[in-house]
Amino acid sequence: DAGVTQSPTHLIKTRGQQVTLRCSPKSGHDTVSWYQQALGQGPQFIFQYYEEEERQRGNFPDRFSGHQFPNYSSELNVNALLLGDSALYLCASSYNVHEQYFGPGTRLTVT
Amino acid sequence: AQSVTQLGSHVSVSEGALVLLRCNYSSSVPPYLFWYVQYPNQGLQLLLKYTTGATLVKGINGFEAEFKKSETSFHLTKPSAHMSDAAEYFCAVSESRNNDMRFGAGTRLTVKP
């Protein structure tokens, strides 16, 4: 079992650009959550997808959007990037339990 | 909404000494509580969790935590620190099975030889 995988590992974007991050959940998991972890801080909940729909959303602007595919994989899209969007973006998957498995994250740098 | 406060952004102990990382939570309903560990340039790994039942929870790598409702606390302990325990530790709380978890700011543990 490969666990939760995320791609890319790192990327650098310019202010105003758009970015798409990808996540493949652990085998057997149907729920994907996304978190933003700024340097020196704890992860902040962005949103959660279940059955291809956004089930819950944290306090993030509409520039942050997502999608879940029939195979349960997920994408996080961020439009009109700001310098403050620079962070580690973590994906976590779960299946009807409280235990979330986290991927290694995607490090986004906005210049 | 639920929230977590981790007391002490940095904790330093000697190898073999007791590890105590503090976590206090706020929740309007019975909480689900978690401790995660994060090594440099890696994702988060679950150490232990409390959902219901026994208030003393044992996790991986010799860690344990005790849920104290009266104190709204969920402190993490380990009797004897090892060099490999050096990492960032996060406490998290959830109020529902939908796993909307709120994390604390983290505590960086340093282990001195």
Side-chain angles (χ1 to χ4, degrees):
Chain A
D1 182 6
V4 180
T5 60
Q6 293 185 242
S7 63
T9 304
H10 298 86
L11 75 166
I12 300 173
K13 291 287 188 177
T14 303
R15 278 178 298 174
Q17 287 188 318
Q18 178 266 344
V19 68
T20 298
L21 311 182
R22 296 176 175 81
C23 172
S24 292
K26 183 178 173 64
S27 178
H29 287 185
D30 59 2
T31 302
V32 173
S33 301
W34 286 92
Y35 295 83
Q36 179 195 67
Q37 185 178 19
L39 197 62
Q41 297 183 24
Q44 301 293 314
F45 176 72
I46 303 175
F47 43 53
Q48 182 183 84
Y49 277 84
Y50 172 71
E51 292 188 343
E52 302 181 50
E53 291 193 357
E54 184 181 291
R55 179 160 65 180
Q56 280 194 318
R57 188 179 183 91
N59 188 27
F60 279 79
D62 292 344
R63 298 187 297 108
F64 289 77
S65 63
H67 188 77
Q68 185 178 35
F69 298 93
N71 67 352
Y72 307 118
S73 66
S74 177
E75 289 182 349
L76 163 65
N77 300 292
V78 186
N79 294 322
L81 285 167
L82 304 174
L83 294 179
D85 295 331
S86 296
L88 180 68
Y89 288 84
L90 296 165
C91 168
S93 72
S94 59
Y95 174 70
N96 200 29
V97 294
H98 304 284
E99 184 169 339
Q100 293 193 0
Y101 289 80
F102 282 80
T106 293
R107 174 76 59 187
L108 171 65
T109 301
V110 181
T111 63
Chain B
Q2 69 272 34
S3 66
V4 168
T5 300
Q6 290 185 240
L7 300 176
S9 59
H10 291 86
V11 170
S12 181
V13 301
S14 298
E15 191 174 18
L18 170 71
V19 175
L20 171 60
L21 305 183
R22 300 178 186 274
C23 171
N24 288 90
Y25 69 89
S26 173
S27 176
S28 58
V29 299
Y32 303 108
L33 296 160
F34 309 83
W35 274 99
Y36 282 86
V37 61
Q38 186 177 34
Y39 297 99
N41 300 314
Q42 296 187 26
L44 278 68
Q45 179 183 9
L46 181 68
L47 280 176
L48 49 79
K49 64 181 178 182
Y50 169 80
T51 54
T52 59
T55 56
L56 181 61
V57 180
K58 295 186 183 299
I60 62 172
N61 301 338
F63 285 93
E64 62 182 38
E66 186 171 11
F67 169 59
K68 292 187 177 181
K69 182 179 179 180
S70 61
E71 299 177 8
T72 61
S73 69
F74 191 57
H75 301 331
L76 181 71
T77 60
K78 181 174 181 178
S80 177
H82 192 272
M83 296 297 291
S84 61
D85 294 327
E88 189 88 18
Y89 291 80
F90 293 96
C91 181
V93 62
S94 172
E95 289 186 342
S96 72
R97 293 183 61 84
N98 289 338
N99 293 347
D100 173 17
M101 287 199 297
R102 303 301 171 95
F103 286 82
T107 297
R108 181 170 298 278
L109 176 66
T110 301
V111 182
K112 299 175 293 185

